[in-house]
Amino acid sequence: MVPLFDYMDVREQIQQLVDACLQEEAFADCFTIDLHCSRDGRVILYVDSDTGLTLARCQALSRSLEHKMDDLQLFDGKYVLEVSSPGADRPLAMKRQYPKHVGRTLAVRLRDGSKLEGVMAGVDGDTLQLIVPDGKREAQKDIPFGNIEESFVQISFKKRK
């Protein structure tokens, strides 16, 4: 009899392997955003970094994780591993992602359904500081992270001054 695929157990084992990889010096400023595992052996890991994530770092992390996964043989030796940064189409998922986006424009949807767009001024404890248009002037809005439903970094192709 073939044992049932235990998603939580497999995901937990892979997360432990990811955590071990993130203890390595080369990935010390990286952190997990999301991890998906499927019964057919597809593993998708989204990671981010406090200093930025390059393709080369994603590849190196993938190789390190692959070696650890091969030892466990969670999928009978057959699996597909994708390691990626979250990308611009995914919302910021944790407070730790915000500081590196100071000076960039964010679109923020609050839990009450309202929306704001402005330039991120900073993070102060559990509060996002956003500079938003206020008539002909700009004003700083302090938004508790608990009030944020989701926020996206807005991609701009304008040249910075």
Side-chain angles (χ1 to χ4, degrees), residues 75-129:
F75 300 101
D76 294 328
K78 295 179 264 181
Y79 63 89
V80 174
L81 173 62
E82 296 177 29
V83 176
S84 174
S85 64
D89 60 330
R90 293 179 59 96
L92 298 176
M94 30 185 23
K95 187 168 67 170
R96 187 173 176 181
Q97 291 179 279
Y98 284 81
K100 71 179 180 183
H101 295 293
V102 168
R104 298 182 78 184
T105 301
L106 297 182
V108 180
R109 184 167 49 96
L110 302 175
R111 294 198 187 279
D112 67 6
S114 62
K115 296 177 182 178
L116 294 170
E117 187 168 309
V119 175
M120 185 179 156
V123 172
D124 184 17
D126 288 330
T127 304
L128 169 66
Q129 299 169 326

Side-chain angles (χ1 to χ4, degrees), residues 18 32 34-35 43-47 61 65 81-84:
V18 170
T32 303
D34 206 357
L35 174 64
V43 178
I44 302 171
L45 172 64
Y46 291 103
V47 293
L61 178 57
L65 180 56
L81 173 62
E82 296 177 29
V83 176
S84 174

Side-chain angles (χ1 to χ4, degrees), residues 9 23 25 40 63 68 78 80-81 90 94 116 138 143 146:
D9 184 53
Q23 296 300 312
E25 186 177 337
D40 65 351
R63 281 191 295 276
K68 290 173 176 38
K78 295 179 264 181
V80 174
L81 173 62
R90 293 179 59 96
M94 30 185 23
L116 294 170
E138 293 180 327
I143 307 163

Side-chain angles (χ1 to χ4, degrees), residues 29-87:
D29 71 333
C30 295
F31 51 96
T32 303
I33 297 296
D34 206 357
L35 174 64
H36 298 277
C37 308
S38 64
R39 119 180 26 253
D40 65 351
R42 186 177 177 98
V43 178
I44 302 171
L45 172 64
Y46 291 103
V47 293
D48 206 345
S49 161
D50 297 323
T51 58
L53 200 59
T54 63
L55 177 59
R57 284 183 81 196
C58 283
Q59 289 171 329
L61 178 57
S62 179
R63 281 191 295 276
S64 179
L65 180 56
E66 200 171 74
H67 291 301
K68 290 173 176 38
M69 286 177 63
D70 287 347
D71 290 342
L72 283 186
Q73 298 183 357
L74 296 172
F75 300 101
D76 294 328
K78 295 179 264 181
Y79 63 89
V80 174
L81 173 62
E82 296 177 29
V83 176
S84 174
S85 64

